[in-house]
Amino acid sequence: MAGGQERILRRRIRSVESTKKITRAMELIAASQMVRAQGRIAGSKPYLQGIERVLTDVVADGSAPERLIGTPKSPDRVAVIAVVSDRGLCGGYNAFVLRATERVIRTGEGAGRRYRVIGVGKKAIGYFRFRNRPLDESFTMGDRPNYELAREIARTVVPAFMARELDLVQLVSTRFVSAGVQVVETRQLLPLEPRAREQGGGATLAPGEGYFEYEPDPEELLSLLVPRYAEAALYGALLEASASEHVSRQRAMSAATENADDLITNLRRVMNRARQDAITTEIMEIVSGAEALRQGAQREAAPIRKDSDLDRNAEERIA
């Protein structure tokens, strides 16, 4: 029995060691991809900041249409874009974003709003399908999101917003602050919020610094810039979400590798105890067998008394 248990434990240890190699490799891959994703985020920021700076200047004089800037007081038709990953094994990264999206939709529907849901990432498709909430549009995220993906997502909401079919467009994703801090945020994509972006580190040129004259008029200029701004903002959000995914996967795989080490240590302890029990059992069996052989040999070597001797001894005791 102990020998069979030892074989089972050896098999489990080999299985856990194989899993540990996989988690370790995934941890290293995620770490390398995270570094590249951070570089792409840094490379995309100047373009977005430039558009935000122009938008800040355009709306500074107050002649821009109110529908394109600020926050709607009572939006009725809202679009929500949820950005998650295509794969799992990244801790609670997907769950946090999807739950935040569901809270936004539930709260808004309680206030009488109508929602159009756009899912980016296969995990969003499966999540909302399981909850019987069909997605109006869905996209796959991929390991390295490109600008074309951001443009395709923007096409699903920007024309409807410009045609007054949508009052508000929200974006739920993970903002990459640093390698140690990632925050799930619900951001307003449309209408524009240049002043809020300015406070958050976006546009750096405050209204009133210098004098600018734009051609054509602000409304026509905004109609040209809004799609570009939405594409750039979505692209930046995709890059930050991708970097956050890699960080979460690195942490999850690092924890899995450590857990595999602990499990292997515990299994080896159990296996060593089982081996010691097996050795002790074998020694006891050998000792017991040797003792039985010795006792048998002693019985065979003892003299056998005859019946006449027994009778004589009995007569002597009687006399």
Side-chain angles (χ1 to χ4, degrees), residues 18-39:
S18 300
T19 304
K20 175 186 171 182
K21 293 179 181 178
I22 296 173
T23 56
R24 178 60 177 167
M26 293 181 67
E27 177 187 354
L28 296 175
I29 293 172
S32 63
Q33 290 181 341
M34 179 192 67
V35 174
R36 286 196 292 267
Q38 286 181 281

Side-chain angles (χ1 to χ4, degrees), residues 195-238:
R195 295 180 186 274
R197 295 290 294 180
E198 179 183 344
Q199 295 172 0
T204 57
L205 182 61
E209 292 185 5
Y211 174 77
F212 297 89
E213 182 176 351
Y214 290 97
E215 187 72 25
D217 57 47
E219 183 173 1
E220 185 177 353
L221 185 59
L222 284 175
S223 65
L224 297 174
L225 290 179
V226 165
R228 302 294 180 267
Y229 166 77
E231 294 172 2
L234 282 170
Y235 182 58
L238 293 176

Side-chain angles (χ1 to χ4, degrees), residues 8 42 44 85 92 111 120 134-135 145 180 184 195 203 207 220 235 242-243 290 307 311 314:
I8 293 173
S44 66
S85 66
V120 182
L135 294 175
V184 177
R195 295 180 186 274
E220 185 177 353
Y235 182 58
S242 178
D307 294 341
D311 295 340

Side-chain angles (χ1 to χ4, degrees), residues 215-277:
E215 187 72 25
D217 57 47
E219 183 173 1
E220 185 177 353
L221 185 59
L222 284 175
S223 65
L224 297 174
L225 290 179
V226 165
R228 302 294 180 267
Y229 166 77
E231 294 172 2
L234 282 170
Y235 182 58
L238 293 176
L239 294 181
E240 292 187 5
S242 178
S244 301
E245 175 194 352
H246 295 318
V247 172
S248 299
R249 180 167 290 110
Q250 181 190 15
R251 291 174 183 167
M253 293 300 100
S254 176
T257 303
E258 293 177 1
N259 292 337
D261 285 330
D262 295 339
L263 182 57
I264 290 172
T265 300
N266 294 333
L267 289 175
R268 283 177 176 168
R269 288 174 181 170
V270 175
M271 186 185 68
N272 290 335
R273 284 196 296 268
R275 184 188 303 167
Q276 291 173 358
D277 293 341

Side-chain angles (χ1 to χ4, degrees), residues 42-65:
S44 66
K45 282 185 176 180
Y47 178 69
L48 179 59
Q49 290 173 351
I51 292 182
E52 289 173 341
R53 189 158 47 242
V54 173
L55 290 173
T56 302
D57 298 332
V58 171
V59 302
D61 58 359
S63 61

Side-chain angles (χ1 to χ4, degrees), residues 57-124:
D57 298 332
V58 171
V59 302
D61 58 359
S63 61
E66 295 182 358
R67 195 182 66 85
L68 298 179
I69 60 174
T71 303
K73 295 182 180 180
S74 57
D76 179 53
R77 297 158 298 180
V78 183
V80 176
I81 304 173
V83 181
V84 291
S85 66
D86 289 340
R87 299 178 297 166
L89 299 177
C90 50
Y93 167 77
N94 294 315
F96 294 151
V97 175
L98 293 172
R99 289 172 186 170
T101 305
E102 195 170 17
R103 283 195 299 270
V104 169
I105 296 174
R106 191 184 302 114
T107 303
E109 287 180 341
R113 300 175 183 176
R114 292 174 292 173
Y115 277 86
R116 179 184 299 180
V117 184
I118 296 96
V120 182
K122 293 181 180 179
K123 290 298 179 179

